[in-house]
Amino acid sequence: MSKGSGLLGLAVSVLVVAFGCEDNNPAPDGGAGATGRGGSPTTGSGGAFGAGGMAGSSPAAGAPGTAGAAGAAGAAGASGATGAAGAGMAGAGGGSACGDPLTHCNGTMSGAWCVETVPPGGLNSFMGLWANRPDDVWFVGGDFSTGIVPNATGMYAHFDGCTWTVTPRPDLPQLLGVWGASPGDVWIVGSSGNAFHWNGSALAPVPVPGATILRSASGTSGSDVWAVGTGGLFHWNGGAWSQSSANTGNDVWAVAPNDVWVASGSTDALHFDGTTWTGTTLTDFGLFTIWSDGTQAYAGGEGEALFHFAGGTWTTLQGRGGSSQGFTDIGGLGTDILTVGNNQVVRLSGNTFTPITDGPPAHGYEMVWVSPTQIWLGALDGTIAHRSR
């Protein structure tokens, strides 16, 4: 998903950077291996729990992980039918080089939150965030030292549970959104007519016919992926991209193949029921982000406008104010549903919304992702905050 509404970056340092392998959270001695979490990154379902190892994360169910021996790192979980093998979680008393990725922090702890900075290099800005699991997090953006779209070039960072590695890609366009079905099946979209697919070892362009700028991606499996932008709404069926609608979009969230939501970027929330796209006008301008769990949906945008969908009806929680800033991203899983933007992190629950009281220091977070195990916040300047759920 793409969560930044702007296109300009902030000046920071240069070069590919990898950092943070020291163990800030050593495990206690003895004990059994920690339980691994598997399954779909969007629902947390599908994969089995492995004692000591992570279940393989893939569109199909992952097999249980092998139990970790006392005082040793948990063994890697077996792969799912099409996914890569899950990384082993640290066993209590042993651990990986950097300890349990659920508790490892490269930066500074602020209560339960770890706050750190991913130094992207150059005149860069991060625009998209996706966290599959504690040791598989993507943060994508662009280098604006040569100008803005279409002259900006790509850059991405990846966290493996120990180290953030930043990779400038001057051969790619600015990158705006990211989503994956498994560690070896990740899609990144940006300011070109291609989507870029990560197969676990390399990033390759895949043409999206009719696309110009793609701002956001979301899916339910490796053969059901959506991308939206100025060229329309596009679908990947496992073999090719095709245009599903000529409507433009700023953000997409897929719940199921017949339950897909799009924030148009202007006035409408769009919904796909597997056959037809329908739109509902929610605001007079600037609908930036949308999210759903299948029983309800939230949308937000300029002027801190917020809307809630339940029982077939949209309710305005807060109309658009005078600010040109607003809510740029919504993410959720279970009861942890948050929206960010305009220097706020807000918790959503039914028709209520409340700024969180246990958050990290105030910062310009514009991206949020809630995984089965953690909450992640991202800012354009590379600041990341995350905590265990």
Side-chain angles (χ1 to χ4, degrees):
M1 301 176 76
S2 166
K3 300 303 153 235
S5 59
L7 293 176
L8 292 176
L10 302 174
V12 279
S13 57
V14 293
L15 300 177
V16 178
V17 181
F19 68 97
C21 272
E22 73 277 10
D23 186 356
N24 292 340
N25 298 281
D29 292 333
T35 300
R37 183 71 181 243
S40 164
T42 55
T43 64
S45 62
F49 287 93
M54 265 194 178
S57 176
S58 78
T66 304
S79 67
T82 59
M89 293 282 282
S96 64
C98 292
D100 184 346
L102 272 173
T103 56
H104 177 68
C105 181
N106 293 323
T108 302
M109 293 300 298
S110 176
W113 294 84
C114 171
V115 182
E116 53 192 296
T117 301
V118 181
L123 184 62
N124 286 279
S125 180
F126 286 100
M127 307 295 290
L129 173 67
W130 176 71
N132 175 41
R133 60 192 199 191
D135 59 352
D136 185 26
V137 185
W138 288 83
F139 202 18
V140 304
D143 180 349
F144 298 91
S145 59
T146 57
I148 59 174
V149 176
N151 297 316
T153 60
M155 171 270 302
Y156 55 80
H158 183 261
F159 183 63
D160 62 3
C162 168
T163 302
W164 281 101
T165 301
V166 182
T167 304
R169 289 295 300 266
D171 58 317
L172 300 182
Q174 176 194 2
L175 304 175
L176 301 173
V178 56
W179 180 87
S182 72
D185 189 2
V186 178
W187 288 96
I188 301 176
V189 297
S191 56
S192 78
N194 291 322
F196 300 91
H197 183 253
W198 174 260
N199 64 4
S201 59
L203 194 66
V206 181
V208 182
T212 52
I213 296 175
L214 294 172
R215 297 188 178 279
S216 174
S218 179
T220 66
S221 73
S223 59
D224 181 38
V225 185
W226 295 85
V228 300
T230 56
L233 315 179
F234 302 90
H235 182 250
W236 169 261
N237 63 5
W241 286 96
S242 61
Q243 188 183 66
S244 176
S245 170
N247 289 301
T248 60
N250 189 75
D251 188 28
V252 59
W253 184 267
V255 182
N258 63 348
D259 190 3
V260 183
W261 296 84
V262 168
S264 67
S266 55
T267 62
D268 290 0
L270 307 174
H271 182 256
F272 183 65
D273 63 5
T275 304
T276 305
W277 285 96
T278 57
T280 302
T281 299
L282 298 183
T283 183
D284 59 345
F285 183 74
L287 193 69
F288 296 148
T289 181
I290 202 161
W291 172 91
S292 174
D293 63 4
T295 61
Q296 63 178 337
Y298 288 96
E302 182 174 294
E304 299 178 13
L306 275 176
F307 310 90
H308 182 226
F309 179 85
T313 302
W314 281 100
T315 298
T316 299
L317 304 185
Q318 181 166 274
R320 183 171 73 91
S323 172
S324 62
Q325 303 297 311
F327 294 116
T328 56
D329 192 15
I330 301 171
L333 193 61
T335 59
D336 290 316
I337 309 170
L338 296 94
T339 185
V340 295
N342 209 13
N343 291 310
Q344 298 184 74
V345 181
V346 174
R347 182 175 294 277
L348 304 171
S349 178
N351 284 339
T352 66
F353 56 99
T354 309
I356 64 171
T357 57
D358 63 341
H363 198 79
Y365 296 110
E366 297 207 5
M367 293 152 271
V368 55
W369 188 272
V370 182
S371 78
T373 56
Q374 289 181 296
I375 299 171
W376 293 82
L377 309 175
L380 302 179
D381 65 359
T383 300
I384 283 276
H386 58 101
R387 61 161 296 169
S388 294
R389 292 181 63 207

